[in-house]
Amino acid sequence: MENYLGRKIRELRRSKDLTQEQLADYLNISYQSVSKWETGTTLPDLSYIIPLSRLFEISTDELLGYEQSKEDLLKNEYSDAYEATWRDGNLEKRLEICLEAVRNYPGDMEWMNRLAMAHSMHCYSYEDNERYRAERDEAIRCYKIVIENTTNEKMKEEAISAIVQDLSYAGKKSEARQYALLYPEEKRDEIEKYYLEGEELIKHEQKLMMKELGHLLSRLNLFFDDYHLHIAVELIKLFFPDQNYLDNHYIMYFYQVSKSKRSIKDGDLSQALVHLEKARFHAAESDKIEFDDCGEYAYTSPLFDKLTVDTSTFLHTNDVPALQNFAENLEGKDFDALRGNTKFQEIQNSLR
């Protein structure tokens, strides 16, 4: 109110070609008082509201911005009452508020979206299946209106996600699938679970688990130290108990190289060579599917037995084959303690 009234007085004064001093003279006050009103430092005394409205030839409502304030107050009342229902869990009241707000503010997609959500939640309060289905259908109808009319992308995404759920629960999985196509492709797997069934659903859940595992392994490998590599390898072993590691062989290779360096520092050269043998195996397995014979390979772990990995799609912009990386690693000073060892020389020769 303070900022609005100050701006309004300044706007009206200028429209009358009055200076602050002239307005002050008309009101028999100091020009500093007018300045403080216009900058929002203070508010005019109520006794000046009617004289000001007369001077500027407008109503007191217009001077105070009363009509707009009423609208703002009503919207705020609706919003406050709506938020209160999330605290007390009163679904009946929430639905009532949303219906009234949509009637009073036709075309307001925020309230239409809230109404759809209210219907979607309220339908569970019915024991009668017919009334349950009718209200769920009303939620679906409202969500369709939001999707077709909102310009707010976030709201549209929320409505799509919700309608996919409601359509799926209503047994309209084909229609749910069509709406899911409107969802951003990079996030679509978040909502696919609602309409998928049987083998499709199992594969979808495995894909999500694999995605999360990949993110976790990537984060762990950012550290490139023994501890984080150890955690990454233990996770791989848990998720792939059949040891069919496929594209994770590279991590296993890198880990064994790291373990070998650690054994050398500890003075255990024999164990260092054991780790290098394991590193060579994993490097060869990695290169086999990523460079030598690219294609589609199936996971056989019980957790991922519906999935495959297509290594022909892998990008190798800055990568070199694991065996080449291994050979370059062995030339480093970390392995100087093994230079005269016959077994070490044999491993190096096998990489040439």
Side-chain angles (χ1 to χ4, degrees), residues 326-337:
F326 189 28
E328 293 170 358
N329 247 312
L330 294 184
E331 295 295 331
K333 63 181 181 180
D334 290 322
F335 297 98
D336 285 349

Side-chain angles (χ1 to χ4, degrees), residues 90-100 115 118-119 122 126 135:
N90 192 332
L91 293 178
E92 290 283 349
K93 185 65 175 177
R94 187 182 308 163
L95 183 58
E96 178 187 320
I97 293 165
C98 291
L99 285 168
E100 188 176 335
L115 176 60
H119 277 307
H122 187 261
Y126 296 122
E135 186 153 18

Side-chain angles (χ1 to χ4, degrees), residues 114-142:
R114 288 174 172 178
L115 176 60
M117 190 188 310
H119 277 307
S120 185
M121 298 180 74
H122 187 261
C123 70
Y124 288 105
S125 63
Y126 296 122
E127 293 183 7
D128 180 270
N129 285 336
E130 188 173 337
R131 295 179 73 186
Y132 162 79
R133 287 193 294 269
E135 186 153 18
R136 184 171 292 288
D137 286 344
E138 186 61 17
I140 291 170
R141 184 187 73 82
C142 292

Side-chain angles (χ1 to χ4, degrees), residues 315-334:
L315 297 177
H316 297 292
T317 309
N318 297 311
D319 295 345
V320 297
L323 287 172
Q324 180 181 333
N325 180 275
F326 189 28
E328 293 170 358
N329 247 312
L330 294 184
E331 295 295 331
K333 63 181 181 180
D334 290 322

Side-chain angles (χ1 to χ4, degrees), residues 232-296:
V233 168
E234 291 303 310
L235 282 173
I236 291 171
K237 289 178 180 178
L238 282 171
F239 279 90
F240 302 94
D242 59 353
Q243 299 183 23
N244 182 23
Y245 300 131
L246 294 180
D247 50 321
N248 289 303
H249 271 294
Y250 193 89
I251 296 176
M252 303 298 283
Y253 146 69
F254 197 85
Y255 175 67
Q256 293 299 334
V257 171
S258 177
K259 290 285 284 183
S260 179
K261 291 177 181 179
R262 171 57 59 188
S263 294
I264 291 172
K265 287 181 180 179
D266 293 341
D268 192 345
L269 301 187
S270 177
Q271 190 59 41
L273 291 167
V274 171
H275 288 304
L276 290 182
E277 284 284 12
K278 291 180 180 179
R280 178 169 60 177
F281 167 77
H282 289 298
E285 291 298 304
S286 178
D287 286 352
K288 187 188 300 181
I289 66 169
E290 292 193 31
F291 289 92
D292 303 334
D293 191 15
C294 298
E296 191 170 5

Side-chain angles (χ1 to χ4, degrees), residues 132-320:
Y132 162 79
R133 287 193 294 269
E135 186 153 18
R136 184 171 292 288
D137 286 344
E138 186 61 17
I140 291 170
R141 184 187 73 82
C142 292
Y143 279 129
K144 287 181 178 180
I145 293 173
V146 174
I147 292 167
E148 291 169 7
N149 293 281
T150 185
T151 58
N152 185 313
E153 287 303 315
K154 183 179 179 182
M155 185 186 300
K156 185 174 183 178
E157 285 185 23
E158 290 174 354
I160 293 170
S161 176
I163 201 173
V164 167
Q165 292 180 57
D166 280 345
L167 286 168
S168 298
Y169 296 153
K172 302 174 182 179
K173 293 185 180 290
S174 178
E175 189 176 357
R177 191 185 292 260
Q178 291 303 310
Y179 271 99
L181 295 176
L182 301 177
Y183 208 66
E185 186 175 0
E186 66 275 11
K187 298 191 289 186
R188 198 172 298 157
D189 55 13
E190 299 171 2
I191 62 173
E192 287 179 331
K193 62 183 178 183
Y194 297 115
Y195 59 81
L196 294 177
E197 298 177 285
E199 291 290 306
E200 264 194 316
L201 179 58
I202 294 172
K203 183 176 180 179
H204 173 73
E205 292 301 321
Q206 289 189 0
K207 184 174 74 171
L208 291 182
M209 194 188 311
M210 179 68 82
K211 185 177 179 180
E212 293 300 322
L213 177 60
H215 288 160
L216 182 55
L217 291 175
S218 294
R219 288 184 181 278
L220 288 168
N221 290 331
L222 285 174
F223 293 93
F224 278 90
D225 59 43
D226 291 344
Y227 175 74
H228 289 87
L229 279 172
H230 172 73
I231 298 299
V233 168
E234 291 303 310
L235 282 173
I236 291 171
K237 289 178 180 178
L238 282 171
F239 279 90
F240 302 94
D242 59 353
Q243 299 183 23
N244 182 23
Y245 300 131
L246 294 180
D247 50 321
N248 289 303
H249 271 294
Y250 193 89
I251 296 176
M252 303 298 283
Y253 146 69
F254 197 85
Y255 175 67
Q256 293 299 334
V257 171
S258 177
K259 290 285 284 183
S260 179
K261 291 177 181 179
R262 171 57 59 188
S263 294
I264 291 172
K265 287 181 180 179
D266 293 341
D268 192 345
L269 301 187
S270 177
Q271 190 59 41
L273 291 167
V274 171
H275 288 304
L276 290 182
E277 284 284 12
K278 291 180 180 179
R280 178 169 60 177
F281 167 77
H282 289 298
E285 291 298 304
S286 178
D287 286 352
K288 187 188 300 181
I289 66 169
E290 292 193 31
F291 289 92
D292 303 334
D293 191 15
C294 298
E296 191 170 5
Y297 291 87
Y299 294 102
T300 51
S301 164
L303 291 172
F304 304 115
D305 58 359
K306 307 296 180 188
L307 303 182
T308 61
V309 57
D310 187 356
T311 59
S312 65
T313 64
F314 286 11
L315 297 177
H316 297 292
T317 309
N318 297 311
D319 295 345
V320 297

